[in-house]
Amino acid sequence: QVQLVQSGAEVKKPGASVKVSCKAPGYTFTNHYVHWVRQAPGRGLEWVGIFNPAGGTTSYAQELQGRVTMTGDTSTNTVYMELSSLRSEDTAVYYCAREARYRDSGGSYFYYFDYWGQGTLVTVSS
Amino acid sequence: IQLTQSPSSLSASVGDRVIITCRASQGIAINLAWYQQKPGKAPKVLIYAASTLQSGVPSRFSGSGSGTDFTLTISSLQPEDFATYYCQQLDNYPRSFGGGTKVEIK
């Protein structure tokens, strides 16, 4: 059974770093990209970045470049997202999500996020 | 790519037909998904490739559109459908989301 299980809530001071984990049992870990999405209190969804477990490649939201790092461990089927130099504006629920790939009858591929973690609340406060 | 959803919120009654629109700032073919999110929960995919219903999602949900203009339709609103809905483009990076549409009980 596919699951994405995230680490628990964190409280950090401004300027600190946080590392959130996303463990992904129940499927072939290297077959699917994993994305991170965050949601500030009362706000919408914001894409943070993507990690490719097969090759370790990443792509990040431009506004977080230089502060976010995504890594993975294929031995434990776990993806990590680390955010440094935390600010109050980083307070949010952080979700990991698996990207599914669908191929239609014409051979075109389409993508969507089919499984999500339960979310990790990161609070940045002095 | 910017995604603009409208309306940002709406009030409707059980049994109503609800239509939510999503406009992309540039053409994205049919590389669009719709998600439903309830308070305190992760989003759940309803539709992908603009009009393909995810397995297990009730048939009262449907999606249409291509290029820059898309719609999500709920044919007969049920009590469990009161939630916030987001569109997402998966044509390129970043995988941006629309601002959301909150569907409330009238």
Side-chain angles (χ1 to χ4, degrees), chain A residues 58-80:
Chain A
T58 57
S59 178
Y60 305 132
Q62 187 173 7
E63 56 271 27
L64 295 175
Q65 287 274 2
R67 293 203 298 131
V68 64
T69 304
M70 295 178 186
T71 56
D73 183 346
T74 54
S75 68
T76 60
N77 286 13
T78 303
V79 178
Y80 300 92

Side-chain angles (χ1 to χ4, degrees), chain A residues 33 35 37 39 43-45 47 50 95 99 102 109-114 116-117, chain B residues 30-31 33 35 37 41-43 45 48-49 52 54 86 88 90 93-95 97:
Chain A
Y33 293 172
H35 295 254
V37 175
Q39 187 169 38
R43 305 297 296 274
L45 303 171
W47 183 81
I50 179 177
Y95 294 101
E99 182 175 282
Y102 158 73
Y109 285 99
F110 301 97
Y111 306 91
Y112 58 101
F113 294 0
D114 62 346
W116 295 66
Chain B
I30 59 169
N31 294 301
Y35 300 86
Q37 187 181 33
K41 300 293 188 182
V45 64
Y48 59 91
T52 302
Q54 170 71 335
Y86 294 93
Q88 182 199 24
L90 298 106
Y93 290 92
R95 299 288 208 222
F97 291 89

Side-chain angles (χ1 to χ4, degrees), chain B residues 13-19 58-62 72-78 81:
Chain B
S13 300
V14 172
D16 283 353
R17 181 182 182 88
V18 169
I19 298 175
S59 59
R60 63 181 179 272
F61 291 94
S62 64
L72 172 70
T73 300
I74 309 172
S75 60
S76 178
L77 198 65
Q78 297 301 299
D81 301 337

